[in-house]
Amino acid sequence: MTTLHNLGFPRIGHQRELKFALERYWRGEDSLEELESTAAGLRARHWELQQNAGLDLLPVNDFSLYDQVLDNSLLLGAIPRRFGDLGKHSHADAAFCIARGRDAEGNPVAAGEMTKWFDTNYHYIVPELRPGQRFRISSEKLFHEVSEARALGHEAVKPVLPGPLTWLWLAKAEEEEFDRLELLDSLVETYGGILQRLAALGVAWVQLDEPALALDLPGEWKQAYESAYSRLRAAPVKLLLATYFGPLQDNLHLAARLPVDGLHLDAVRAPGELPRLADHMPAYKILSAGIIDGRNIWRADLKKILATLAPLRQRLGDRLWLAPSCSLLHVPVDLASETGLDEELKSWLAFAVQKLDELALLKQCLRTGAEGCGELLAENIRAIESRRLSSRIHDPKVQQRLQTLSPDMAQRGSPYAQRRPSQISLPLFPTTTIGSFPQTAEIRRARRDYRLGRLDEAGYQRRMRDEIRAVVEIQETLGLDVLVHGEAERNDMVEYFGEQLQGFAFTRFGWVQSYGSRCVKPPILFGDVSRPAPMTVEWSRYAQSLTDKPMKGMLTGPVTLLNWSFLRDDQPRALTCRQLALALRDEVLDLERTGISVIQIDEAALREGLPLRKADWRNYLNWAVESFRITAGGVRDSTQIHTHMCYSEFNDIMAAIAAMDADVITIETSRSRMELLDAFRDFHYPAEIGPGVYDIHSANIPRTQDMLELLEKALERIPAERLWVNPDCGLKTRNWEEVKPALKNMVEAARRLRKQYAGKERMPD
Ligand code: GLN
Ligand code: ZN
């Protein structure tokens, strides 16, 4: 019989129980026992649910109170020195110290760095290592959870751990750089000890997650895989090596050859490699086909999957296992509790719980043949057909419009240097902000009341206009040069646009963990995208009517809308992105028509959409940049286009950033002390740059002097006439007590700098 298993289940809870329990604990309202008991309740519920769905092996240790990579660092005793002796704390408290920046005594220290888990929107805490470090088993969490599952009567459990090489690959040096592979011996030895202990608990299978095998790996790392796994083969348990998030490509033979008992492949991202692996796998090995999409929310096309599996099943027999493509951490928990979607849309979707049912149905169909699994399969086929043919998805008008796309639509009238003189004139070192101002409790209440019908349209308009008037006045008093309307009407920079565009749907409970207790609720981009009506024009027009200063229009760009949504899987991403670009282009043109002469198109998520493999970057960047250019390309030379990005790693994508052809780019740099601007200098970036001069993530009020120093560093790399002065990012998470003095100091820094440069005219080159 086919074995069904799961790589991991979302731990946050279908009502985000874990989030609320964590936050109560952190506020000091709950005891650790209360938190642990909520956590144990979730684990028990999730195991039972998976058991009832018919899984043959249940994942254990996929649960985490904060992050599974951090848990693994604690398991291995890899704790950066600045945290002191965390050994005296519970696993949970030690994890919170690292994640939230407290040492063992409770003093503030730099928190562990957080970064994106491969190409997902989940963030892990980066392990930090030092030369000569020795590992040893330093946490009981893993073993406790195995015993806990056992005590609940779950015999067939499969502990899940980040594999040694992936964990090491994701780590960084605590201080001075060194070759992390030097630590491999001690690391593998400790993993060996862990596997021993799991065996002693009666565990038969252990899943080691090695998604790093979907990356471009240097030769030494490939060798390290061989040597590490040949040492681990001595362990008295069976190892399932889990790869996911992409094809193995040049690592395929390596992965197939490693002396483990089973190999899991992401068959959604690498369908072609499934039969290839079946050819290459030695006869003793299990091949686990990750056949249900763990990264997206669409119902699986079971008929198609069955056709793929049939020959494999014939060849491999019971050596073929079935699973989701990756951990289900990346999808919402349960469609059944969803109330925000209509029945038709729901019939096209599957969240974590439904994905397990799909697996079970596949198993049944494999056993009985398609005829034997009757109504459930028939229902699946009907849903797939109805989605394929639905007029809610396919809009002939949108498709016709795409046909009219021509290269000149992605092209501004003239190059930057020629169009600059016709744009607004500004003092040297113009000051601006990135868009949002503090989202006060009153603003959020007004939005909520409006949504719930407690505040009527007119009342809401009045509240938002009052807000706009107030922030315009504040900005004029502060002396900022290019103003913003403050984005009070926006709950979220993606949701706000998605809600007004055709083709998007929003869930009420479709939460996915982003980091720690934080969750996001990505929109579902299910159909052809169009813009029924202007989305931001009225707010911007009103804001501009209040001031003689230029008012920046503010839009979220196509690539960011794309990268922060669950996307339709029935057409290439590039095409979906182009549809978004055309819809936003109309908004840009409407803004221009209404008298807005500066328009910012935020692309916060452009970089994070980069494919895992370098070879795929060019293609992605081509269509991503093209989409941005389609959005911006229709305006007159005299309209100044800004873009904003929340990062500063531009070295390897500088050409693409320049190709976006924005007149001004504002970026995050304050935390890197402007050094990352080297990329702009070395590339001779042609247009204007606003490197953030203060960190909006911190509550500290930046001092004029500090910002001046940063600006001087920036001036070593950017010509004065192309340098803007602005914070790192939007200010919506801050309060006015912080924002006002911060901006006052920032404007003062610009003024002082202008004095130093007095006499020099602002001169576009
Ligand atoms: N305009 C947005 C804001 O100011 C940009 C946010 C972002 O880039 N993350 O909030
Ligand atoms: Zn930002």
Side-chain angles (χ1 to χ4, degrees):
M1 273 231 295
T2 313
T3 298
L4 298 184
H5 72 112
N6 185 16
L7 278 65
F9 194 81
R11 51 228 183 191
I12 203 75
H14 70 301
Q15 294 172 320
R16 287 183 294 161
E17 296 90 323
L18 182 59
K19 170 194 176 66
F20 300 118
L22 281 166
E23 291 172 357
R24 280 195 305 272
Y25 176 63
W26 293 337
R27 286 196 300 264
E29 295 165 15
D30 277 7
S31 65
L32 186 57
E33 290 66 42
E34 287 167 302
L35 171 61
E36 294 284 13
S37 122
T38 303
L42 284 167
R43 289 192 292 268
R45 194 208 292 161
H46 296 159
W47 284 323
E48 190 182 304
L49 200 147
Q50 295 176 86
Q51 174 88 46
N52 292 344
L55 293 201
D56 302 297
L57 274 175
L58 304 183
V60 171
N61 198 46
D62 54 335
F63 187 87
S64 175
L65 286 174
Y66 203 99
D67 164 42
Q68 72 276 9
V69 178
L70 176 57
D71 285 342
N72 207 53
S73 305
L74 291 168
L75 172 61
L76 298 164
I79 295 169
R81 286 206 176 94
R82 64 182 181 280
F83 294 102
D85 178 19
L86 290 180
K88 60 186 176 193
H89 289 301
S90 63
H91 179 101
D93 280 331
F96 300 153
C97 279
I98 296 177
R100 298 160 54 79
R102 290 273 179 272
D103 70 11
E105 315 310 321
N107 306 310
V109 286
E113 186 195 334
M114 203 171 64
T115 196
K116 276 164 66 78
W117 175 244
F118 295 82
D119 59 352
T120 72
N121 233 325
Y122 176 78
H123 300 72
Y124 68 95
I125 304 280
V126 180
E128 292 177 49
L129 303 172
R130 47 186 179 264
Q133 172 156 14
R134 309 280 303 167
F135 302 101
R136 61 184 186 84
I137 299 178
S138 306
S139 158
E140 292 297 308
K141 170 193 182 280
L142 162 68
F143 312 109
H144 280 157
E145 286 180 12
V146 172
S147 308
E148 185 183 64
R150 281 291 162 66
L152 291 167
H154 302 299
E155 282 309 313
V157 296
K158 177 194 58 177
V160 177
L161 290 166
L165 271 308
T166 291
W167 182 82
L168 194 60
W169 175 262
L170 297 176
K172 65 173 189 181
E174 190 177 327
E175 279 158 18
E176 74 279 27
E177 288 302 324
F178 71 105
D179 180 4
R180 302 192 294 291
L181 284 176
E182 284 167 17
L183 305 181
L184 192 64
D185 269 351
S186 167
L187 183 62
V188 172
E189 196 183 310
T190 312
Y191 265 84
I194 294 167
L195 297 177
Q196 291 275 357
R197 285 202 46 194
L198 289 171
L201 289 171
V203 163
W205 279 95
V206 176
Q207 171 187 324
L208 293 179
D209 283 353
E210 291 285 8
L213 285 167
L215 304 176
D216 299 315
L217 291 175
E220 316 88 81
W221 282 80
K222 297 188 191 199
Q223 275 160 24
Y225 263 100
E226 308 243 15
S227 70
Y229 279 88
S230 58
R231 285 175 59 191
L232 288 177
R233 84 190 301 173
V237 287
K238 293 184 170 179
L239 295 181
L240 177 69
L241 184 84
T243 68
Y244 43 81
F245 298 151
L248 295 166
Q249 294 180 4
D250 58 325
N251 297 328
L252 184 128
H253 289 277
L254 169 65
R257 209 167 50 225
L258 291 176
V260 290
D261 305 276
L263 177 63
H264 172 87
L265 177 81
D266 183 334
V268 175
R269 294 259 169 114
E273 290 184 353
L274 205 50
R276 283 186 61 203
L277 273 179
D279 287 344
H280 280 93
M281 295 270 274
Y284 64 88
K285 264 196 204 176
I286 298 295
L287 178 59
S288 163
I291 203 80
I292 300 287
D293 195 347
R295 293 289 300 276
N296 213 333
I297 40 65
W298 300 106
R299 201 163 174 172
D301 184 344
L302 296 182
K303 203 170 74 180
K304 192 166 144 209
I305 293 177
L306 281 168
T308 310
L309 292 180
L312 289 168
R313 163 92 186 146
Q314 267 200 342
R315 181 117 120 258
L316 299 169
D318 290 346
R319 284 166 51 223
L320 178 69
W321 289 13
L322 300 182
S325 59
C326 59
S327 166
L328 296 175
L329 183 65
H330 311 291
V331 291
V333 182
D334 190 359
L335 189 61
S337 38
E338 183 54 48
T339 54
L341 303 170
D342 61 81
E343 286 308 311
E344 183 179 47
L345 246 167
K346 276 173 84 170
S347 77
W348 298 337
L349 304 179
F351 292 175
V353 170
Q354 288 68 39
K355 286 175 189 288
L356 299 176
D357 293 338
E358 291 181 332
L359 272 182
L361 186 54
L362 279 175
K363 174 168 172 169
Q364 191 194 331
C365 296
L366 280 179
R367 197 176 56 225
T368 60
E371 319 74 54
C373 54
E375 185 43 31
L376 287 175
L377 183 61
E379 195 219 325
N380 174 277
I381 293 171
R382 278 197 303 275
I384 298 293
E385 271 305 282
S386 102
R387 183 178 158 217
R388 198 170 64 79
L389 301 172
S390 170
S391 60
R392 285 174 77 183
I393 293 185
H394 308 284
D395 179 345
K397 282 203 299 298
V398 174
Q399 284 155 22
Q400 272 158 27
R401 178 120 192 257
L402 277 173
Q403 300 302 317
T404 66
L405 241 177
S406 62
D408 59 295
M409 285 171 75
Q411 190 72 42
R412 295 286 301 267
S414 323
Y416 163 77
Q418 276 171 45
R419 56 187 193 248
R420 183 62 186 93
S422 63
Q423 296 173 2
I424 47 163
S425 59
L426 289 165
L428 205 51
F429 314 119
T431 54
T432 191
T433 60
I434 304 306
S436 57
F437 277 122
Q439 293 247 331
T440 59
E442 299 82 71
I443 292 177
R444 285 193 305 252
R445 188 167 340 108
R447 275 204 318 262
R448 192 171 50 239
D449 286 350
Y450 176 54
R451 202 181 56 230
L452 298 176
R454 292 199 292 239
L455 182 64
D456 65 7
E457 174 74 32
Y460 177 70
Q461 291 277 343
R462 214 171 314 117
R463 279 289 294 107
M464 292 298 122
R465 283 179 171 224
D466 289 349
E467 198 54 48
I468 291 174
R469 199 167 334 105
V471 303
V472 167
E473 209 175 290
I474 293 172
Q475 294 173 89
E476 288 196 320
T477 311
L478 285 165
L480 286 152
D481 299 308
V482 175
L483 312 195
V484 296
H485 77 284
E487 301 180 26
E489 77 286 5
R490 302 186 191 175
N491 38 354
D492 172 276
M493 63 188 285
V494 173
E495 199 165 315
Y496 180 76
F497 290 93
E499 277 176 344
Q500 301 185 71
L501 289 168
Q502 207 65 250
F504 279 90
F506 290 84
T507 63
R508 279 202 57 202
F509 302 107
W511 296 102
V512 179
Q513 197 174 1
S514 170
Y515 66 93
S517 68
R518 295 297 190 96
C519 299
V520 294
K521 202 156 59 72
I524 297 174
L525 202 173
F526 68 90
D528 286 342
V529 175
S530 59
R531 186 196 69 145
M535 304 182 281
T536 65
V537 174
E538 206 29 52
W539 302 123
S540 287
R541 193 199 55 72
Y542 176 69
Q544 182 65 84
S545 77
L546 302 172
T547 178
D548 296 331
K549 295 266 177 80
M551 176 61 58
K552 231 183 336 182
M554 196 60 61
L555 304 174
T556 302
V559 187
T560 299
L561 292 178
L562 185 92
N563 284 339
W564 285 347
S565 300
F566 283 121
L567 293 186
R568 52 194 293 191
D569 58 356
D570 57 350
Q571 67 180 25
R573 279 201 306 161
L575 191 61
T576 305
C577 199
R578 236 170 258 152
Q579 294 185 357
L580 287 163
L582 282 173
L584 290 166
R585 177 183 171 96
D586 295 343
E587 185 73 11
V588 168
L589 291 173
D590 280 343
L591 280 170
E592 182 182 63
R593 220 166 280 137
T594 201
I596 299 296
S597 56
V598 184
I599 300 170
Q600 177 174 312
I601 304 165
D602 290 327
E603 285 293 17
L606 185 111
R607 189 183 166 92
E608 63 184 64
L610 280 173
L612 294 175
R613 297 280 195 162
K614 261 254 156 77
D616 303 325
W617 281 23
R618 181 195 290 263
N619 178 42
Y620 166 77
L621 288 170
N622 279 347
W623 61 252
V625 169
E626 185 209 46
S627 291
F628 181 89
R629 294 173 60 121
I630 291 169
T631 302
V635 296
R636 294 190 293 264
D637 277 357
S638 56
T639 297
Q640 187 174 64
I641 297 287
H642 290 219
T643 188
H644 166 72
M645 292 174 194
C646 306
Y647 43 84
S648 41
E649 295 87 29
F650 289 106
N651 281 310
D652 43 6
I653 55 168
M654 203 57 232
I657 299 298
M660 290 167 73
D661 197 23
D663 297 295
V664 183
I665 175 172
T666 57
I667 57 176
E668 191 210 281
T669 33
S670 71
R671 278 181 290 187
S672 73
R673 308 282 309 157
M674 300 284 163
E675 270 124 39
L676 289 151
L677 289 177
D678 286 352
F680 287 85
R681 179 195 56 198
D682 299 343
F683 185 83
H684 298 292
Y685 183 75
E688 295 161 60
I689 310 176
V693 292
Y694 82 86
D695 178 7
I696 62 98
H697 301 93
S698 152
N700 298 336
I701 312 252
R703 298 181 314 166
T704 300
Q705 190 52 37
D706 296 338
M707 290 187 276
L708 260 176
E709 270 166 35
L710 286 179
L711 284 165
E712 266 146 25
K713 278 175 180 282
L715 279 166
E716 292 164 14
R717 299 160 170 96
I718 300 168
E721 59 280 1
R722 284 198 243 131
L723 182 61
W724 284 62
V725 179
N726 48 263
D728 257 352
C729 193
L731 298 163
K732 70 173 177 192
T733 57
R734 304 258 61 97
N735 60 50
W736 280 110
E737 285 65 52
E738 295 156 348
V739 165
K740 278 187 198 164
L743 292 179
K744 184 162 174 269
N745 293 350
M746 186 187 88
V747 170
E748 178 57 24
R751 285 199 181 124
R752 284 200 209 156
L753 207 56
R754 272 173 213 156
K755 279 216 190 87
Q756 288 176 32
Y757 278 73
K760 273 200 185 181
E761 278 305 293
R762 185 191 168 88
M763 240 177 10
D765 59 0

